[in-house]
Amino acid sequence: WAPARLVHDNPPGDAALADTSITQASAAALGKVAAGAREAILIESAYLVLDQQSVDAMRALHARGVRLRALTNSLASNDVTANHGAYARRRDAILASGVALHEMRPDAASCRVLVLNGSACGKGHVFGLHAKTFVFDRRTVYVGSLNLNLRSRFLNAESGLVIESPELAAEIAADIELNMAPANSWRVVA
């Protein structure tokens, strides 16, 4: 058992459908938790498309000494090429902000550890990242539907749990770090 709170967005009405000036509640809540980080943030987001405001926020966290590491899909493991294209255009800016960036390999060895159906791993199968989990200072976790992309931030109705649990944070961090190992992802360098 651990203290947790649900964060969620209401479906937008017709007037809000094209309004990208208002950050949805779930993205704002995630941003608030991130802003309070003091040591480290681990990011696992299937789609990672950061606008300049988000890149600036990452840069500010890094400047304060917060260690930032992110795992996302590579082109080879991504199920939506357009999302990868948007991410690829922002990749250099993300790296320059201080984020240590990893891209999931389609042949990740961790598939056999993390997926119960072993037949889904191996030759002829692509292992892709779908999780949206974040670990803050190894004590707070966000688990939910929100990717770090503009669609989730401004348009989608997302939901998630913010959980205060060092035990759960350690378990989720271990899984993310397993997927960041060289057998499972490529480290992106400028």
Side-chain angles (χ1 to χ4, degrees):
W1 294 96
R5 67 185 167 94
L6 175 68
V7 295
H8 65 90
D9 305 323
N10 294 320
D14 291 341
L17 286 177
D19 189 352
T20 58
S21 65
I22 301 171
T23 298
Q24 294 280 55
S26 57
L30 185 63
K32 186 174 180 180
V33 175
R38 296 174 188 219
E39 298 166 14
I41 300 175
L42 272 172
I43 299 165
E44 184 177 47
S45 183
Y47 309 135
L48 187 65
V49 183
L50 303 182
D51 64 354
Q52 192 58 48
Q53 183 181 359
S54 298
V55 168
D56 291 344
M58 296 288 189
R59 183 177 288 111
L61 286 163
H62 179 71
R64 282 194 359 237
V66 176
R67 183 178 183 207
L68 304 166
R69 294 183 291 160
L71 175 67
T72 193
N73 279 308
S74 65
L75 176 60
S77 67
N78 205 316
D79 64 342
V80 180
T81 305
N83 278 328
H84 185 81
Y87 153 75
R89 286 191 300 276
R90 303 293 295 157
R91 189 169 31 210
D92 287 341
I94 295 168
L95 288 168
S97 74
V99 175
L101 195 52
H102 298 261
E103 294 181 359
M104 184 65 94
R105 296 172 55 131
D107 61 346
S110 59
C111 182
R112 288 177 178 72
V113 175
L114 299 173
V115 176
L116 294 178
N117 178 1
S119 67
C121 305
K123 191 173 176 120
H125 294 275
V126 173
F127 185 58
L129 183 65
H130 192 66
K132 296 103 173 154
T133 52
F134 306 82
V135 179
F136 304 93
D137 295 334
R138 300 240 178 209
R139 60 174 194 269
T140 304
V141 174
Y142 170 90
V143 177
S145 64
L146 187 138
N147 282 295
L148 282 187
N149 68 1
L150 302 179
R151 193 177 67 214
S152 287
R153 181 173 164 197
F154 294 113
L155 299 175
N156 290 358
E158 306 288 0
S159 63
L161 286 174
V162 178
I163 307 163
E164 302 295 334
S165 170
E167 297 83 7
L168 183 60
E171 287 184 39
I172 291 175
D175 286 346
I176 295 171
E177 289 169 336
L178 171 66
N179 278 330
M180 287 179 167
N184 305 313
S185 68
W186 293 294
R187 172 76 188 268
V188 180
V189 295

